[in-house]
Amino acid sequence: MKKYLYFFCFDVSGMKKFFIYLQLIFIGSFYITYNILGVIILAIIRTVLFPFPALKNEGTLIIKRKWLDLTSTLVGLYFHKPIYVAYNKEILKNKRSIIISNHITNYDWIFLMLVLRELDKYDELRIILKESLAKIPIFGYGMKCFKFIFLKRNWSEDKNKLREGIGNLKDKLKYNVLIFPEGTFIDSETHKKSKTFSTTLSHKINNKTFNPEYTLIPRTRGLGLLYNELKNRSDGVIDTTLLYTPFYKYPSEIFTTKELLEKKLLSTQIFIILDSLKLESDDEKWIYNQFHRKNNIIKKFSENVEEFSKVNTLEHLSYNIYNITDQSYNFKKIELWSNSSYAYISIYISFKIILLYGILAYFNKI
């Protein structure tokens, strides 16, 4: 034991890594414990209050809000910088929206949920996800209770699941459905497949084959069904574009779990642009035009990334956003953590550290 402690006292890099993983153990145990308790409470609420749908839904919503508070706070320990948001104020008028976004890392959905919460669009949010996520212990049950929609990527089965998942939305006064039309995040492998598919698709935009360099070619069937089912009961589409600095063509290959946990992503800055679309066409190909525009925005962003890395005020942000979009927006700066969740985590970690010191002191006497 003494030799082990001696090593970490004199090897700075080893000591740093030791405490990073020690913190991870404490935080991870807290997060898992919190979620287990949350799921137990959620199950009790949904069982006991089953005869009272309004109370059951309100109880579920409280758990949903608290879960995002805690999750975003934990992510905030690894992404220290706030999220900068540029949004078209027209989306604030939307009560019923289909939300589309590019997909670049495993963490996109957390950042999007935080932004949507700030814009009062989180409580009624449903996300379309791959079915494997529904099988994750604890979390899968929670996501089902939040009415997220899970697809197998087998269209013969998925079209019925999707219809069933959005069926009761038609009569609701408020809803928001988030879908990632690319189906997965962009990396070297998926991008290669996308480029191959572009030759088969042969879709022309401005007399050029649609073959995006910074996004994947979006899938149209799921989004097309979603749009056609809800178009007469929807206020429009919110088109979301995610941007990160430092800029990488394939962020998912850089923003790995290991890099995150070893706190190598602390300097990452997230920018999110939200546009409002009013669509009248039944042609599913409109999504190609939107991703063509999105691809151009990301391209311009990559060319101006040095300026974006210097952004520290909303005024500076507005200037840079206008340079890559030629549009005017409203702006927000969003912190990832909530004070209450941060306090809970701090208390828990402090308790664990005291306990650890007690154990070390005990072994030191032996």
Side-chain angles (χ1 to χ4, degrees):
M1 175 62 71
K2 288 183 178 179
K3 288 183 178 179
Y4 184 72
L5 292 175
Y6 182 87
F7 169 78
F8 282 106
C9 286
F10 290 90
D11 185 331
V12 176
S13 62
M15 185 177 181
K16 181 180 179 181
K17 187 169 289 190
F18 169 73
F19 280 108
I20 285 175
Y21 280 97
L22 186 64
Q23 181 192 58
L24 175 63
I25 292 170
F26 290 164
I27 292 174
S29 62
F30 172 79
Y31 186 64
I32 292 171
T33 302
Y34 184 97
N35 277 280
I36 290 173
L37 291 174
V39 164
I40 292 172
I41 294 170
L42 185 59
I44 293 172
I45 288 173
R46 295 181 68 81
T47 302
V48 174
L49 298 180
F50 183 78
F52 311 99
L55 290 175
K56 182 188 73 171
N57 292 337
E58 186 61 30
T60 302
L61 184 56
I62 290 171
I63 297 293
K64 184 179 180 182
R65 290 169 180 166
K66 291 298 181 182
W67 173 81
L68 181 59
D69 278 345
L70 180 64
T71 301
S72 61
T73 300
L74 290 181
V75 173
L77 296 175
Y78 298 95
F79 290 91
H80 282 187
K81 294 189 175 183
I83 303 171
Y84 282 110
V85 182
Y87 66 96
N88 185 321
K89 64 181 180 181
E90 289 298 312
I91 68 175
L92 300 179
K93 300 176 183 178
N94 292 6
K95 301 299 181 184
R96 301 175 296 179
S97 300
I98 298 169
I99 304 168
I100 62 174
S101 177
N102 60 318
H103 197 6
I104 52 181
T105 73
N106 281 321
Y107 320 112
D108 298 343
W109 56 281
I110 299 174
F111 304 137
L112 285 174
M113 284 194 290
L114 277 170
V115 171
L116 293 172
R117 182 177 66 180
E118 284 291 315
L119 299 176
D120 194 27
K121 297 186 181 299
Y122 173 69
D123 287 357
E124 302 81 16
L125 178 65
R126 297 188 187 186
I127 307 177
I128 298 175
L129 302 165
K130 57 185 178 182
E131 191 179 53
S132 59
L133 296 176
K135 299 176 182 178
I136 300 175
I138 303 170
F139 301 99
Y141 174 78
M143 289 188 285
K144 288 176 184 176
C145 292
F146 300 157
K147 297 183 179 178
F148 291 178
I149 301 167
F150 300 95
L151 303 181
K152 290 184 176 180
R153 295 181 180 174
N154 180 337
W155 185 239
S156 61
E157 296 182 45
D158 286 346
K159 60 184 177 182
N160 294 324
K161 283 191 172 185
L162 189 53
R163 281 197 179 99
E164 182 183 344
I166 64 174
N168 67 341
L169 294 181
K170 297 177 181 180
D171 300 322
K172 289 188 176 294
L173 298 177
K174 292 182 72 175
Y175 68 75
N176 297 287
V177 183
L178 170 62
I179 184 171
F180 295 96
E182 294 161 292
T184 186
F185 47 69
I186 185 171
D187 59 27
S188 54
E189 285 299 314
T190 57
H191 195 207
K192 183 179 178 180
K193 292 177 182 177
S194 178
K195 284 188 166 296
T196 301
F197 179 62
S198 72
T199 60
T200 305
L201 181 67
S202 297
H203 180 70
K204 301 284 186 180
I205 297 179
N206 299 328
N207 295 320
K208 293 182 180 179
T209 300
F210 177 51
N211 188 8
E213 192 64 29
Y214 298 98
T215 72
L216 303 178
I217 294 177
R219 305 178 184 193
T220 59
R221 287 189 296 190
L223 180 59
L225 186 149
L226 186 66
Y227 176 68
N228 288 325
E229 289 285 321
L230 297 176
K231 65 181 178 181
N232 295 325
R233 297 174 177 85
S234 169
D235 298 324
V237 175
I238 298 175
D239 183 10
T240 303
T241 303
L242 293 162
L243 306 163
Y244 289 26
T245 63
F247 179 80
Y248 301 100
K249 189 173 181 179
Y250 305 127
S252 61
E253 297 180 353
I254 305 297
F255 293 11
T256 63
T257 302
K258 184 175 184 294
E259 295 288 305
L260 176 73
L261 297 180
E262 292 186 358
K263 295 197 171 185
K264 295 180 180 178
L265 305 179
L266 296 180
S267 63
T268 302
Q269 181 71 71
I270 301 133
F271 300 90
I272 300 180
I273 303 172
L274 297 97
D275 288 292
S276 177
L277 306 178
K278 301 293 183 183
L279 300 177
E280 298 177 357
S281 172
D282 290 336
D283 186 355
E284 295 176 352
K285 304 296 174 58
W286 63 267
I287 188 62
Y288 296 149
N289 296 326
Q290 285 308 123
F291 268 74
H292 174 69
R293 177 179 181 272
K294 199 182 296 291
N295 184 73
N296 289 339
I297 288 175
I298 298 172
K299 181 178 183 294
K300 290 179 181 178
F301 177 81
S302 70
E303 295 167 352
N304 293 274
V305 70
E306 187 174 343
E307 284 301 313
F308 274 90
S309 65
K310 298 175 184 176
V311 167
N312 55 17
T313 66
L314 295 182
E315 290 76 17
H316 193 187
L317 174 66
S318 65
Y319 173 80
N320 286 324
I321 291 292
Y322 185 81
N323 278 347
I324 65 173
T325 63
D326 294 325
Q327 292 187 18
S328 298
Y329 293 90
N330 289 50
F331 300 93
K332 279 182 177 286
K333 183 172 76 170
I334 302 173
E335 300 291 347
L336 270 76
W337 59 55
S338 79
N339 291 331
S340 59
S341 293
Y342 193 71
Y344 296 150
I345 294 170
S346 299
I347 292 169
Y348 183 83
I349 291 178
S350 298
F351 171 76
K352 287 288 188 177
I353 289 174
I354 292 171
L355 182 62
L356 177 65
Y357 272 115
I359 293 171
L360 292 177
Y362 172 78
F363 279 106
N364 202 35
K365 291 178 181 179
I366 296 177

